Amino acid sequence: MLIKKRRRRLTLELIMMTLISLIAGVLTAQILEDAGLQYMLDKIADDDYYEHQTQDCLDRLQDFIRTNQVTEDNIELLASWAQKEKNVYVVFYQDVDALFSSNMILEESEDAEIPLNGRGLPYYDVTLADGMVIKAELECYMDPQMFYVVDIAGYTAGGMVFIILLFLLIHRKIRYINRLDYELKILGSGNLEYPMTIRGNDEITGLAEGIESLKNGILDQQLMKDEAEKANMELVTAMSHDLRTPLTSLIGYLELLTMERYEDEAQMQKYLGHCREKAFQLKRMSDRLFEYFLVYGKRDYQYQFQELSCENLLEDLCNSQFFDWQEQGGSLECRIGKLSGRIQVDSEYLQRVIDNLISNLKKYGDVCAPLEIQASEKEGMLYICIRNRIKPGKNSRESTQIGLRTCRRILEEHRGVFSWYQEKEYFHVEMELPLIPAIKK
């Protein structure tokens, strides 16, 4: 019994792929942001970096003073420079009084004294254009836009990881679908022998298996059709040849009888005997044609089953059915077990089975060896085996085995089994028929 696999839903797989890619993208963005922030913090904490930034700021301040000729009289111009320097905190002092700060607040300290290191920041000397020296308290900051750049870089990298990973995961399914599309085109071109690729355990795999099953069904039907056409051709060839010979002879004898071209009554009876023989030969050929259509054709005939005891059936088989075989000089060797069951058969069609077996015996059986018949009941079936030795120089195989196939078709429609095989110089036929279940009292 085939066990149907429970397939995973393709939708669930796609959701899992998306979640995995999303988690990988978020982790990548977070790691890059943390690394970028740590790099910037380490850079800010570096003394050389701070001193370099401060010196650059002082150089820009001195350039502004020289360019704008800032003196004690127009010292307020330093406020505009402080406004432009967005990443610098600066406070200007003259003696101990604050002049200007970066937030444009003028501090007046009449009573307070501000020590040089009161804010924990160093003071720097700034020379005005008129030679006056003032103090500048400077603190440089890193540009906040750099933090935004780190965030954007992290999000961008995370997004790229998400897209690339999702594409790689889904690409395997897309590649499988493209493979199936390629194979379908091959099948569509007429090459039904090309195998479908079965991979995975989802709905796409089920589709591939369905296509493979459909393809195999078409191949089986095509094979059966080819066999039927071959059998038709063989039958037509054989029948055209076999019918022509007896018909020619029959017509010849009838012509002789019609023209009364015989010497005496004995010769006329001889011609009539030949005509009778050829007529029966034609009948046998017509029976063979009927058997062929019984095997390969569709039939609406309803069997007329009747109940028989297994004992009577085998007794009739051993004592009368093989009378023709015994007339040819053959002998029977019957080994019959205890038979107490009953079967249902159509006597007309069962007789056709026996006729076919007798016909095979006449053609291929060796009368010097006994015909063995064995019968027994087991597992609710009547088992019959017929065994005979093949005549030397004969092949037990018919050209198309139509007779044996007819027997198999009849037994199968009796819900039984018919089989045959050759073992060395012996030919075996095995038949099984279902017993009528016994009624419990």
Side-chain angles (χ1 to χ4, degrees):
M1 182 179 67
L2 294 176
I3 300 176
K4 186 177 180 181
K5 297 180 180 178
R6 185 176 180 181
R7 303 191 184 282
R8 300 191 300 269
R9 297 291 299 175
L10 183 60
T11 304
L12 180 60
E13 290 187 37
L14 294 176
I15 292 175
M16 292 300 297
M17 292 177 186
T18 305
L19 287 177
I20 292 172
S21 303
L22 182 61
I23 292 172
V26 171
L27 289 176
T28 301
Q30 188 64 44
I31 291 171
L32 287 179
E33 285 187 38
D34 292 344
L37 281 175
Q38 188 62 43
Y39 171 76
M40 291 172 61
L41 291 175
D42 292 341
K43 192 172 183 180
I44 292 174
D46 188 3
D47 292 339
D48 292 337
Y49 173 80
Y50 184 78
E51 291 178 0
H52 178 71
Q53 290 291 98
T54 303
Q55 188 60 48
D56 286 344
C57 184
L58 289 173
D59 291 341
R60 292 195 300 273
L61 177 58
Q62 289 296 152
D63 290 340
F64 178 81
I65 292 173
R66 284 194 299 271
T67 303
N68 295 277
Q69 290 297 307
V70 178
T71 62
E72 184 179 4
D73 296 333
N74 59 356
I75 199 171
E76 293 84 1
L77 293 176
L78 295 178
S80 62
W81 177 87
Q83 278 187 321
K84 294 178 181 179
E85 296 291 331
K86 295 181 179 180
N87 300 322
V88 176
Y89 172 78
V90 59
V91 180
F92 295 103
Y93 296 93
Q94 184 178 15
D95 294 334
V96 293
D97 296 329
L99 299 175
F100 300 102
S101 67
S102 57
N103 54 6
M104 297 298 295
I105 297 176
L106 179 64
E107 298 182 3
E108 296 180 358
S109 302
E110 296 179 354
D111 301 327
E113 292 185 0
I114 302 177
L116 289 180
N117 293 325
R119 298 176 58 86
L121 296 174
Y123 295 119
Y124 300 95
D125 291 334
V126 177
T127 305
L128 300 181
D130 57 0
M132 180 181 177
V133 178
I134 62 174
K135 300 291 185 182
E137 182 184 13
L138 285 174
E139 185 175 4
C140 297
Y141 302 96
M142 182 171 283
D143 191 350
Q145 291 184 355
M146 295 298 296
F147 293 93
Y148 299 145
V149 171
V150 171
D151 290 339
I152 293 172
Y155 294 145
T156 302
M160 292 179 64
V161 169
F162 168 77
I163 294 173
I164 293 173
L165 184 58
L166 183 62
F167 173 77
L168 292 176
L169 292 175
I170 296 179
H171 181 66
R172 186 169 178 269
K173 296 292 182 184
I174 297 175
R175 188 171 56 186
Y176 184 34
I177 293 173
N178 292 335
R179 177 69 183 176
L180 294 180
D181 179 66
Y182 170 74
E183 292 172 353
L184 280 174
K185 290 178 180 178
I186 295 177
L187 295 179
S189 64
N191 184 10
L192 296 179
E193 299 291 339
Y194 195 87
M196 296 293 295
T197 302
I198 308 298
R199 187 174 65 201
N201 187 28
D202 53 23
E203 289 85 348
I204 302 177
T205 307
L207 178 62
E209 290 177 349
I211 296 172
E212 180 71 13
S213 177
L214 178 63
K215 182 200 72 172
N216 291 335
I218 295 174
L219 284 175
D220 291 341
Q221 290 181 357
Q222 187 174 359
L223 180 62
M224 292 176 62
K225 182 180 177 181
D226 293 341
E227 289 180 353
E229 290 179 354
K230 181 180 179 182
N232 281 334
M233 184 62 65
E234 291 177 351
L235 178 67
V236 170
T237 303
M239 291 298 292
S240 62
H241 177 269
D242 294 344
L243 287 173
R244 187 182 298 112
T245 302
L247 274 176
T248 302
S249 299
L250 180 60
I251 292 172
Y253 286 123
L254 289 175
E255 287 289 340
L256 292 175
L257 291 172
T258 302
M259 293 184 296
E260 298 181 354
R261 296 180 61 179
Y262 49 85
E263 297 178 356
D264 51 22
E265 185 72 18
Q267 191 176 32
M268 183 186 71
Q269 291 297 327
K270 181 181 179 181
Y271 288 166
L272 287 174
H274 287 314
C275 290
R276 184 174 180 272
E277 181 183 348
K278 297 303 178 183
F280 277 110
Q281 187 177 353
L282 290 172
K283 180 182 179 300
R284 287 193 296 272
M285 293 180 183
S286 65
D287 289 342
R288 185 183 176 192
L289 186 62
F290 169 79
E291 291 167 356
Y292 172 81
F293 285 109
L294 180 65
V295 173
Y296 293 105
K298 294 184 178 179
R299 177 184 59 79
D300 296 329
Y301 177 79
Q302 297 295 326
Y303 283 95
Q304 302 298 321
F305 291 104
Q306 57 182 353
E307 189 174 320
L308 295 177
S309 67
C310 297
E311 185 177 5
N312 291 339
L313 176 65
L314 267 297
E315 182 179 351
D316 185 50
L317 191 65
C318 291
N319 295 335
S320 60
Q321 294 291 347
F322 288 97
F323 179 75
D324 290 346
W325 169 258
Q326 292 173 314
E327 267 196 340
Q328 286 187 333
S331 61
L332 296 178
E333 185 179 309
C334 296
R335 292 194 291 271
I336 310 300
K338 183 180 178 181
L339 303 178
S340 58
R342 301 179 69 83
I343 58 174
Q344 281 189 335
V345 295
D346 187 313
S347 300
E348 178 184 348
Y349 277 85
L350 189 62
Q351 184 62 48
R352 186 171 295 279
V353 172
I354 303 302
D355 290 343
N356 276 318
L357 295 178
I358 293 173
S359 176
N360 277 346
L361 283 173
K362 289 181 179 179
K363 292 179 182 178
Y364 309 110
D366 186 359
V367 294
C368 297
L371 177 65
E372 301 175 14
I373 300 177
Q374 300 178 18
S376 61
E377 293 178 1
K378 57 182 179 182
E379 298 180 357
M381 302 291 287
L382 172 63
Y383 174 79
I384 302 172
C385 178
I386 300 175
R387 178 174 179 265
N388 73 287
R389 191 167 68 185
I390 302 170
K391 188 183 300 183
K394 287 283 187 178
N395 187 347
S396 63
R397 289 186 174 273
E398 299 176 303
S399 59
T400 58
Q401 296 185 338
I402 292 295
L404 294 174
R405 295 186 185 186
T406 301
C407 296
R408 182 172 63 185
R409 175 72 176 269
I410 293 174
L411 265 291
E412 286 176 352
E413 297 197 1
H414 279 74
R415 294 182 293 111
V417 178
F418 184 92
S419 60
W420 66 91
Y421 62 93
Q422 180 177 338
E423 185 179 7
K424 296 182 180 179
E425 71 272 16
Y426 283 90
F427 189 71
H428 298 254
V429 171
E430 296 181 356
M431 294 183 289
E432 294 182 44
L433 287 168
L435 298 173
I436 300 175
I439 301 176
K440 296 182 180 180
K441 295 183 179 179

